[in-house]
Short mmCIF file of all heavy atoms in Angstrom, two decimals:
data_model
loop_
_atom_site.label_atom_id
_atom_site.label_comp_id
_atom_site.label_asym_id
_atom_site.label_seq_id
_atom_site.Cartn_x
_atom_site.Cartn_y
_atom_site.Cartn_z
N PHE A 298 -13.16 -0.42 0.48
CA PHE A 298 -13.50 0.94 0.07
C PHE A 298 -14.44 1.61 1.06
O PHE A 298 -14.58 2.84 1.06
CB PHE A 298 -14.12 0.95 -1.33
CG PHE A 298 -13.13 0.65 -2.41
CD1 PHE A 298 -13.10 -0.60 -3.02
CD2 PHE A 298 -12.21 1.60 -2.83
CE1 PHE A 298 -12.18 -0.88 -4.02
CE2 PHE A 298 -11.29 1.33 -3.82
CZ PHE A 298 -11.27 0.09 -4.42
N TYR A 299 -15.10 0.85 1.90
CA TYR A 299 -15.99 1.40 2.92
C TYR A 299 -15.19 1.64 4.20
O TYR A 299 -14.27 0.90 4.52
CB TYR A 299 -17.14 0.43 3.22
CG TYR A 299 -18.00 0.11 2.03
CD1 TYR A 299 -17.77 -1.02 1.25
CD2 TYR A 299 -19.06 0.94 1.68
CE1 TYR A 299 -18.56 -1.33 0.16
CE2 TYR A 299 -19.87 0.64 0.59
CZ TYR A 299 -19.61 -0.50 -0.17
OH TYR A 299 -20.40 -0.79 -1.26
N GLY A 300 -15.60 2.63 4.96
CA GLY A 300 -14.94 2.87 6.25
C GLY A 300 -13.48 3.21 6.06
O GLY A 300 -13.11 4.02 5.21
N GLY A 301 -12.62 2.57 6.84
CA GLY A 301 -11.19 2.82 6.72
C GLY A 301 -10.76 4.15 7.30
O GLY A 301 -11.42 4.71 8.18
N ALA A 302 -9.65 4.65 6.79
CA ALA A 302 -9.05 5.86 7.33
C ALA A 302 -9.96 7.07 7.11
O ALA A 302 -10.60 7.18 6.07
CB ALA A 302 -7.69 6.11 6.65
N PRO A 303 -10.01 8.00 8.08
CA PRO A 303 -10.76 9.24 7.85
C PRO A 303 -10.12 10.06 6.74
O PRO A 303 -8.96 9.85 6.37
CB PRO A 303 -10.67 9.98 9.20
CG PRO A 303 -10.00 9.06 10.15
CD PRO A 303 -9.40 7.94 9.39
N LYS A 304 -10.88 11.03 6.22
CA LYS A 304 -10.41 11.83 5.08
C LYS A 304 -9.08 12.52 5.38
O LYS A 304 -8.17 12.53 4.54
CB LYS A 304 -11.46 12.86 4.69
CG LYS A 304 -11.10 13.66 3.44
CD LYS A 304 -12.20 14.62 3.05
CE LYS A 304 -11.84 15.43 1.81
NZ LYS A 304 -11.72 14.59 0.60
N GLY A 305 -8.94 13.09 6.58
CA GLY A 305 -7.71 13.79 6.92
C GLY A 305 -6.50 12.87 6.91
O GLY A 305 -5.43 13.24 6.42
N GLU A 306 -6.67 11.68 7.44
CA GLU A 306 -5.57 10.72 7.45
C GLU A 306 -5.23 10.26 6.04
O GLU A 306 -4.05 10.09 5.69
CB GLU A 306 -5.95 9.53 8.33
CG GLU A 306 -4.85 8.50 8.50
CD GLU A 306 -5.28 7.35 9.38
OE1 GLU A 306 -6.08 7.59 10.31
OE2 GLU A 306 -4.84 6.20 9.14
N ALA A 307 -6.27 10.02 5.21
CA ALA A 307 -6.03 9.64 3.81
C ALA A 307 -5.30 10.74 3.06
O ALA A 307 -4.37 10.47 2.29
CB ALA A 307 -7.35 9.31 3.14
N ALA A 308 -5.71 11.99 3.28
CA ALA A 308 -5.05 13.12 2.61
C ALA A 308 -3.59 13.21 3.01
O ALA A 308 -2.71 13.48 2.17
CB ALA A 308 -5.78 14.41 2.95
N ARG A 309 -3.30 12.97 4.30
CA ARG A 309 -1.91 13.01 4.76
C ARG A 309 -1.08 11.89 4.13
O ARG A 309 0.06 12.10 3.70
CB ARG A 309 -1.87 12.90 6.28
CG ARG A 309 -0.48 13.01 6.89
CD ARG A 309 -0.53 13.24 8.38
NE ARG A 309 -1.29 12.20 9.08
CZ ARG A 309 -2.50 12.39 9.60
NH1 ARG A 309 -3.10 13.57 9.49
NH2 ARG A 309 -3.12 11.40 10.22
N TYR A 310 -1.68 10.71 4.01
CA TYR A 310 -0.98 9.57 3.40
C TYR A 310 -0.63 9.87 1.94
O TYR A 310 0.51 9.63 1.51
CB TYR A 310 -1.88 8.33 3.48
CG TYR A 310 -1.31 7.10 2.82
CD1 TYR A 310 -0.45 6.25 3.52
CD2 TYR A 310 -1.63 6.77 1.50
CE1 TYR A 310 0.07 5.11 2.91
CE2 TYR A 310 -1.12 5.63 0.90
CZ TYR A 310 -0.27 4.82 1.61
OH TYR A 310 0.25 3.70 1.01
N ILE A 311 -1.59 10.39 1.17
CA ILE A 311 -1.35 10.70 -0.25
C ILE A 311 -0.35 11.84 -0.38
O ILE A 311 0.52 11.81 -1.28
CB ILE A 311 -2.67 11.04 -0.96
CG1 ILE A 311 -3.61 9.83 -0.97
CG2 ILE A 311 -2.42 11.54 -2.38
CD1 ILE A 311 -3.07 8.62 -1.70
N ARG A 312 -0.42 12.82 0.50
CA ARG A 312 0.54 13.93 0.43
C ARG A 312 1.96 13.45 0.71
O ARG A 312 2.90 13.83 0.01
CB ARG A 312 0.14 15.00 1.45
CG ARG A 312 1.05 16.23 1.43
CD ARG A 312 0.54 17.33 2.33
NE ARG A 312 0.47 16.93 3.73
CZ ARG A 312 -0.65 16.71 4.41
NH1 ARG A 312 -1.83 16.84 3.81
NH2 ARG A 312 -0.61 16.34 5.68
N GLU A 313 2.12 12.60 1.71
CA GLU A 313 3.46 12.14 2.08
C GLU A 313 4.04 11.16 1.07
O GLU A 313 5.24 11.18 0.79
CB GLU A 313 3.42 11.51 3.47
CG GLU A 313 3.14 12.52 4.58
CD GLU A 313 2.97 11.88 5.95
OE1 GLU A 313 3.00 10.61 6.01
OE2 GLU A 313 2.82 12.61 6.94
N LYS A 314 3.20 10.30 0.49
CA LYS A 314 3.70 9.28 -0.43
C LYS A 314 3.80 9.79 -1.87
O LYS A 314 4.73 9.43 -2.59
CB LYS A 314 2.81 8.03 -0.38
CG LYS A 314 3.33 6.90 -1.26
CD LYS A 314 2.60 5.59 -1.01
CE LYS A 314 3.17 4.48 -1.89
NZ LYS A 314 2.50 3.17 -1.65
N TYR A 315 2.83 10.63 -2.30
CA TYR A 315 2.76 11.04 -3.70
C TYR A 315 2.98 12.53 -3.91
O TYR A 315 3.06 12.98 -5.06
CB TYR A 315 1.41 10.64 -4.31
CG TYR A 315 1.20 9.15 -4.40
CD1 TYR A 315 0.58 8.45 -3.36
CD2 TYR A 315 1.63 8.42 -5.51
CE1 TYR A 315 0.38 7.08 -3.43
CE2 TYR A 315 1.43 7.05 -5.59
CZ TYR A 315 0.80 6.38 -4.55
OH TYR A 315 0.60 5.02 -4.63
N GLY A 316 3.06 13.30 -2.82
CA GLY A 316 3.24 14.75 -2.96
C GLY A 316 2.03 15.45 -3.53
O GLY A 316 2.18 16.52 -4.16
N LEU A 317 0.83 14.90 -3.34
CA LEU A 317 -0.39 15.46 -3.93
C LEU A 317 -1.36 15.88 -2.84
O LEU A 317 -1.53 15.19 -1.83
CB LEU A 317 -1.07 14.42 -4.83
CG LEU A 317 -0.32 14.00 -6.08
CD1 LEU A 317 -0.96 12.77 -6.70
CD2 LEU A 317 -0.30 15.14 -7.09
N GLU A 318 -2.00 17.02 -3.04
CA GLU A 318 -3.07 17.46 -2.17
C GLU A 318 -4.00 18.39 -2.95
O GLU A 318 -3.63 18.91 -4.00
CB GLU A 318 -2.53 18.16 -0.93
CG GLU A 318 -1.64 19.36 -1.21
CD GLU A 318 -1.04 19.91 0.08
OE1 GLU A 318 -1.66 19.74 1.15
OE2 GLU A 318 0.03 20.51 0.01
N CYS A 319 -5.19 18.57 -2.42
CA CYS A 319 -6.20 19.42 -3.04
C CYS A 319 -6.38 19.07 -4.52
O CYS A 319 -6.06 19.83 -5.41
CB CYS A 319 -5.82 20.90 -2.90
SG CYS A 319 -7.16 22.04 -3.33
N PHE A 320 -6.92 17.87 -4.78
CA PHE A 320 -7.00 17.40 -6.17
C PHE A 320 -8.38 16.88 -6.53
O PHE A 320 -9.15 16.42 -5.68
CB PHE A 320 -5.94 16.33 -6.45
CG PHE A 320 -6.04 15.09 -5.61
CD1 PHE A 320 -6.82 14.01 -6.02
CD2 PHE A 320 -5.33 14.99 -4.42
CE1 PHE A 320 -6.89 12.85 -5.26
CE2 PHE A 320 -5.41 13.83 -3.64
CZ PHE A 320 -6.19 12.76 -4.06
N VAL A 321 -8.67 16.98 -7.82
CA VAL A 321 -9.83 16.36 -8.45
C VAL A 321 -9.36 15.07 -9.09
O VAL A 321 -8.27 15.03 -9.68
CB VAL A 321 -10.44 17.32 -9.50
CG1 VAL A 321 -11.55 16.62 -10.28
CG2 VAL A 321 -10.97 18.58 -8.82
N LEU A 322 -10.16 14.01 -9.02
CA LEU A 322 -9.70 12.66 -9.39
C LEU A 322 -10.58 12.03 -10.45
O LEU A 322 -11.80 12.17 -10.45
CB LEU A 322 -9.69 11.78 -8.14
CG LEU A 322 -9.30 10.30 -8.29
CD1 LEU A 322 -7.84 10.17 -8.71
CD2 LEU A 322 -9.55 9.56 -6.98
N LEU A 323 -9.92 11.30 -11.36
CA LEU A 323 -10.60 10.37 -12.28
C LEU A 323 -9.80 9.09 -12.32
O LEU A 323 -8.58 9.11 -12.51
CB LEU A 323 -10.70 10.96 -13.69
CG LEU A 323 -11.16 10.00 -14.81
CD1 LEU A 323 -12.55 9.46 -14.53
CD2 LEU A 323 -11.13 10.69 -16.17
N VAL A 324 -10.48 7.95 -12.14
CA VAL A 324 -9.85 6.63 -12.25
C VAL A 324 -10.48 5.94 -13.45
O VAL A 324 -11.68 5.64 -13.45
CB VAL A 324 -10.07 5.80 -10.98
CG1 VAL A 324 -9.48 4.39 -11.15
CG2 VAL A 324 -9.47 6.49 -9.76
N SER A 325 -9.68 5.69 -14.50
CA SER A 325 -10.23 5.12 -15.73
C SER A 325 -9.11 4.83 -16.71
O SER A 325 -8.11 5.55 -16.75
CB SER A 325 -11.22 6.11 -16.37
OG SER A 325 -11.64 5.64 -17.62
N ARG A 326 -9.29 3.79 -17.50
CA ARG A 326 -8.42 3.60 -18.65
C ARG A 326 -8.60 4.76 -19.63
O ARG A 326 -9.60 5.47 -19.59
CB ARG A 326 -8.76 2.29 -19.36
CG ARG A 326 -8.41 1.04 -18.59
CD ARG A 326 -8.85 -0.19 -19.35
NE ARG A 326 -10.29 -0.29 -19.45
CZ ARG A 326 -10.93 -0.99 -20.37
NH1 ARG A 326 -10.25 -1.63 -21.30
NH2 ARG A 326 -12.25 -1.05 -20.38
N PHE A 327 -7.63 4.92 -20.52
CA PHE A 327 -7.71 5.98 -21.52
C PHE A 327 -8.24 5.41 -22.83
O PHE A 327 -7.59 4.61 -23.50
CB PHE A 327 -6.31 6.59 -21.76
CG PHE A 327 -5.85 7.51 -20.68
CD1 PHE A 327 -5.58 7.03 -19.41
CD2 PHE A 327 -5.70 8.87 -20.92
CE1 PHE A 327 -5.15 7.88 -18.40
CE2 PHE A 327 -5.28 9.73 -19.92
CZ PHE A 327 -5.01 9.23 -18.66
N GLU A 328 -9.48 5.78 -23.16
CA GLU A 328 -10.11 5.45 -24.42
C GLU A 328 -10.97 6.64 -24.82
O GLU A 328 -11.36 7.43 -23.96
CB GLU A 328 -11.03 4.21 -24.27
CG GLU A 328 -10.33 2.94 -23.86
CD GLU A 328 -11.30 1.77 -23.73
OE1 GLU A 328 -12.46 1.92 -24.17
OE2 GLU A 328 -10.90 0.72 -23.20
#
């Protein structure tokens, strides 16, 4: 989770694989 790809590269990866950009995120189970 530290270091790794720069933000621009990560954004491109998520856009190309998931079709998502400019997003607010929550990671959590639903309870």
